[in-house]
Amino acid sequence: MRKLRTIEIERLSLEEYHQSQKMPLVVVLDDVRSMHNVGSMLRTGDAFRVERVLLCGITGTPPHAEIHKTALGAEDSVDWAYVPSAVKAVRQLKQEGYQVLSVEQAEGSTMLHEFRPLPGERYAVVLGNEVKGVHQEVIDLSDGCLEIPQYGTKHSLNVSVTAGIVIHHFALSRLF
C-alpha cells in the first residue's frame, strides 16, 4: 500500500464543486466563538458537500485569518450565510421544510447511532457554543435532539469534532 500524492487525488475544481449535487443537510452554528472551529466546520462541510452552513449570533464569518487557517479555502466553496440568531435560522429552515435537529445532551434525545435519516427528507443540524451548547430556545424549536454517546469522564466533545461525527453519520446514509 502506498500513500497517494496530492496530484493523484481527484479533487473537484471550485466551479465543479459549486455545480455538484449537495447532501440535503444544512449546518447551523449557534454562537460558536472559536474561529478555528468555524473554519474546521466549513472544511468538513466541503468534504461531505453539505448544502450550506449558517453562521449565527456571535459566530465569526469569513473573511478572517483564523477561519482561513483551518478552512483552507472551504470558505470559498461551501455556501454559507450569516443569520443574526439561530432562532431566526431555525424558524426559516422549518418554513422551508427542513427537519431541524439540535445536537445536544437533552431529555429524550436520540442517540446518533439510532437515528436513520430518510431519503427525500431535508435536514438541518444545530451545533452550539463551546461552553453553553445549543440555546434552550433553539432546542424548543427543534424537531428533536441528537446525542453522541460518550463513555469517558468528560461527556463533551469539541464542537468541530462533533460536527464531523454528525455530518459523517448523515453521509453514510447516502442522502445524495
Side-chain angles (χ1 to χ4, degrees):
M1 198 175 305
R2 175 183 66 80
K3 180 179 170 180
L4 294 175
R5 298 178 320 191
T6 303
I7 62 170
E8 294 176 289
I9 300 171
E10 294 183 28
R11 290 195 278 176
L12 298 176
S13 69
L14 195 55
E15 182 178 320
E16 289 169 328
Y17 181 90
H18 286 294
Q19 294 174 0
S20 68
Q21 182 180 4
K22 306 297 186 294
M23 181 177 9
L25 179 67
V26 175
V27 177
V28 179
L29 306 185
D30 180 11
D31 283 345
V32 173
R33 64 184 177 169
S34 165
M35 302 297 174
H36 292 228
N37 282 333
V38 174
S40 179
M41 287 188 259
L42 287 169
R43 189 166 162 191
T44 301
D46 173 281
F48 291 102
R49 282 195 270 159
V50 300
E51 188 177 312
R52 63 189 156 157
V53 176
L54 300 179
L55 310 171
C56 303
I58 66 166
T59 305
T61 61
H64 193 285
E66 285 183 49
I67 291 173
H68 180 72
K69 182 177 183 177
T70 50
L72 294 178
E75 66 271 37
D76 298 325
S77 56
V78 174
D79 184 16
W80 65 267
Y82 176 76
V83 181
S85 76
V87 167
K88 183 176 181 179
V90 167
R91 285 187 175 136
Q92 181 63 40
L93 288 163
K94 289 179 72 86
Q95 285 179 348
E96 294 173 15
Y98 287 86
Q99 182 176 344
V100 178
L101 302 165
S102 289
V103 182
E104 190 60 83
Q105 296 165 334
E107 293 174 350
S109 63
T110 301
M111 291 299 158
L112 183 63
H113 64 277
E114 295 172 354
F115 176 73
R116 299 288 176 259
L118 300 172
E121 291 288 325
R122 298 180 340 169
Y123 293 94
V125 292
V126 182
L127 297 149
N129 176 273
E130 292 88 342
V131 175
K132 297 181 181 180
V134 178
H135 285 96
Q136 184 63 50
E137 188 176 0
V138 173
I139 292 171
D140 293 342
L141 291 170
S142 297
D143 296 301
C145 286
L146 297 176
E147 183 176 337
I148 298 170
Q150 298 171 52
Y151 308 104
T153 62
K154 296 301 169 202
H155 297 287
S156 70
L157 294 167
N158 176 279
V159 67
S160 65
V161 170
T162 298
I165 293 168
V166 171
I167 294 168
H168 183 255
H169 181 79
F170 276 85
L172 288 176
S173 299
R174 303 282 189 236
L175 294 175
F176 72 114

